Amino acid sequence: MPQWTSAVGSTQLARLLTSQQARPAGPGTRRPPAYRALADGIRLLVLEGRVPVAARLPAERELAVALAVSRTTVAAAYEALRTEGFLESRRGAGSWTAVPAGNPLPARGLEPLPPEALGSMIDLGCAALPAPEPWLTRSVQGALEELPPYAHTHGDYPAGLPALRAMLAERYTARGIPTMPEQIMVTTGAMGAIDAICHLFAGRGERIAVESPSYANILQLMREAGARLVPVAMAEGLGGWDMDRWRQVLRDAAPRLAYVVADFHNPTGALADEDQRRRLVDAARHAGTVLVVDETMSELRLDDGLDMPRPVCGFDPSGSTVITVGSASKAFWAGMRIGWVRAAPDVIRSLVAARAYADLGTPVLEQLALNWLLSTGGWQQAVDVRREQARDNRDALVAAVRRELPGWEFEVPHGGLTLWVRTGGLSGSRIAEVGERVGVRVPSGPRFGVDGAFEGYVRLPFTVGGAVAEEAAVRLAAAARLVESGTGAGAGAEGPHTFVA
């Protein structure tokens, strides 16, 4: 059985390698031999996640023709990559990308920082804002007033409270997606929704296609469910989704599921346009892949005048391909652990039936609180305040990082809660490690990749603003200086931990 899960064509790889040449080399940089430059270029593409780990590379002769170099050059480059642990080969199966076995890979996402540590540490680990008040308190008070009739029942509602299911269905219908309550299941957060979907559709050993990078906690959830993750590289910057790559992966790897965040992608902030959504649904339908669309960021549009595209499920009128997941956690408050699934009625029935062996149902009081918000207009008022807060935080953080770390690269997203930052050639993992020592907590890029990609990135959420954002950038700059000088290296490290081609 081949060890690769996707493939990169010779023309595609040549185009990616050519795009690297636009990046200026440092002063005094000597030109390496051709084979070494090719090997370094491929290694950089793997570490940045632009070529996934476990992707089959073109045959030596094919790549030589595409690059207009000798086959000897390509063969020497491949051999150098094998020696360094970035390529594996087997006769009859070809060669596929890898990461060195000695590199420890971060698996779990960052745990929330304990409240007692907030005074000394600036926490940029979690993309979540404090609760919007007074709407949280009012929603709980409203829920308590509605609770007595439910208190006289058993309290188990595996599909969710009928009133909330009807309200969520009505909201989809208002967005132009006709929806019945029978198409909604309320869950314990979006994580609970995706966990249930994975257990129903993708048994242990099944392939799941994921964006690369993608949301760290979902990647870990899928790993622990025994899935084989197939990364599909995102386009550069806010370009988002490369539909040619998606069609190729869905066709060749035939994954049972595919997971995407089309609205203000976490971590890049990209927003898929309508053509990308249409083509993605079409590719999934033709491949027989169930497309799981995470809409948890969809209401966090931060820039005025931005026209939001139709929901992805709007391109699946039969309801046979797309399953949509939503949540109150990002748009309202992470402490309100309410999520939901929109899918075909038969899928909802299967999810509800399987739930009897998991958590039985979502807390009634929190469902009533969300229903109160949605039915009184409190939700929209709270979301408007949340958008303003996130926009102010984004602008303050962007200005501070540009001032303190001018060598770091990023594009400013139009919505969401995260900034995806290339760290000027430094190791994101080392910056995260040293950052905790100087009082700022950030997740490194590899947490959002599959098998060690994105070493040259960190994710910065819009959770702090004003003077705190400025201080966070100052501390990040201090961490970067320590990493660059080598004085921030951990035990056993050798010299500066930089990320270079």
Side-chain angles (χ1 to χ4, degrees):
M1 185 175 182
Q3 302 299 305
W4 47 270
T5 56
S6 60
V8 181
S10 58
T11 302
Q12 179 185 357
L13 183 56
R15 184 173 67 249
L16 291 170
L17 289 164
T18 301
S19 71
Q20 292 178 332
Q21 297 174 5
R23 300 181 189 174
T29 302
R30 297 179 60 184
R31 186 178 183 86
Y35 85 90
R36 183 70 261 173
L38 176 57
D40 288 346
I42 294 173
R43 177 166 61 91
L44 179 60
L45 290 173
V46 172
L47 287 171
E48 288 189 341
R50 299 177 68 196
V51 168
V53 175
R56 186 179 63 172
L57 294 186
E60 295 171 1
R61 188 185 305 278
E62 294 176 10
L63 186 57
V65 171
L67 294 174
V69 299
S70 71
R71 183 177 177 182
T72 302
T73 296
V74 177
Y78 278 14
E79 181 58 33
L81 290 168
R82 276 189 287 268
T83 301
E84 296 161 6
F86 286 93
L87 195 69
E88 296 181 11
S89 304
R90 192 176 68 198
R91 185 177 297 276
S95 299
W96 56 92
T97 57
V99 291
N103 285 11
L105 303 178
R108 298 184 180 275
L110 287 179
E111 300 296 331
L113 193 67
E116 60 270 18
L118 292 176
S120 59
M121 181 76 69
I122 298 176
D123 187 10
L124 299 180
C126 298
L129 291 162
E133 289 288 21
W135 293 277
L136 175 62
T137 298
R138 289 177 181 172
S139 69
V140 174
Q141 291 170 341
L144 288 172
E145 293 175 2
E146 299 291 333
L147 182 61
Y150 295 94
H152 293 292
T153 73
H154 50 63
D156 287 336
Y157 295 89
L161 294 184
L164 181 56
R165 296 176 72 195
M167 179 61 67
L168 292 169
E170 182 180 317
R171 285 175 59 82
Y172 277 106
T173 301
R175 294 168 66 190
I177 313 297
T179 303
M180 304 178 295
E182 292 79 9
Q183 291 178 261
I184 301 292
M185 181 177 83
V186 181
T187 62
T188 307
M191 293 287 290
I194 294 170
D195 182 59
I197 293 166
C198 288
H199 279 90
L200 179 63
F201 285 95
R204 186 167 293 275
E206 291 274 8
R207 290 176 175 175
I208 301 179
V210 295
E211 297 147 328
S212 183
S214 187
Y215 180 38
N217 289 337
I218 292 296
L219 295 180
Q220 184 60 21
L221 180 155
M222 292 174 174
R223 291 186 189 102
E224 293 188 355
R228 299 174 61 192
L229 301 184
V230 183
V232 185
M234 298 282 284
E236 280 286 278
L238 298 179
W241 293 260
D242 185 325
M243 288 301 105
D244 291 336
R245 291 184 187 177
W246 269 102
R247 189 173 293 278
Q248 179 184 11
V249 168
L250 294 179
R251 182 187 65 236
D252 295 347
R256 186 70 182 91
L257 289 178
Y259 168 76
V260 298
V261 186
D263 297 291
F264 308 122
H265 176 262
N266 186 356
T268 68
L271 176 66
D273 62 32
E274 291 215 355
D275 182 62
Q276 290 172 326
R277 294 169 190 238
R278 181 184 297 105
R279 294 175 63 190
L280 184 58
V281 172
D282 181 66
R285 183 184 297 115
H286 280 84
T289 297
V290 175
L291 185 61
V292 181
V293 180
D294 187 334
E295 286 191 337
T296 54
M297 294 281 192
S298 64
E299 298 205 46
L300 291 173
R301 171 180 52 83
L302 303 185
D303 291 334
D304 295 333
L306 178 66
D307 291 328
M308 291 294 293
R310 278 187 291 166
V312 177
C313 58
F315 299 95
D316 180 36
S318 69
S320 61
T321 300
V322 177
I323 297 177
T324 303
V325 172
S327 170
S329 296
K330 298 299 185 184
F332 187 75
W333 184 45
M336 183 172 279
R337 304 304 305 156
I338 302 291
W340 54 87
V341 178
R342 182 202 179 273
D346 62 317
V347 172
I348 294 297
R349 287 193 293 271
S350 297
L351 288 170
V352 171
R355 191 174 193 178
Y357 307 100
D359 63 356
L360 292 179
T362 303
V364 169
L365 188 63
E366 293 185 28
Q367 292 188 70
L368 289 172
L370 178 56
N371 193 60
W372 183 93
L373 286 166
L374 294 173
S375 61
T376 62
W379 173 269
Q380 191 57 55
Q381 294 174 40
V383 169
D384 288 344
V385 170
R386 175 68 82 224
R387 287 173 176 162
E388 182 178 357
Q389 183 182 12
R391 180 169 55 248
D392 290 346
N393 286 356
R394 178 197 64 181
D395 295 346
L397 186 64
V398 165
V401 172
R402 282 176 171 165
R403 181 178 62 252
E404 299 294 335
L405 292 149
W408 287 18
E409 303 172 47
F410 54 85
E411 289 191 41
V412 182
H414 299 295
L417 288 172
T418 58
L419 197 66
W420 186 237
V421 182
R422 193 195 303 269
T423 52
L426 300 177
S427 162
S429 298
R430 190 61 65 192
I431 287 171
E433 177 187 341
V434 177
E436 295 224 20
R437 301 185 211 164
V438 298
V440 61
R441 195 165 184 255
V442 296
S444 62
R447 295 186 182 276
F448 303 90
V450 176
D451 297 330
F454 306 108
E455 183 55 56
Y457 290 81
V458 294
R459 189 195 72 172
L460 305 181
F462 314 143
T463 53
V464 297
V468 180
E470 294 177 7
E471 179 61 22
V474 169
R475 296 184 187 186
L476 281 172
R481 287 192 295 272
L482 289 171
V483 171
E484 193 165 19
S485 68
T487 57
E494 299 178 1
H497 284 255
T498 54
F499 174 58
V500 295

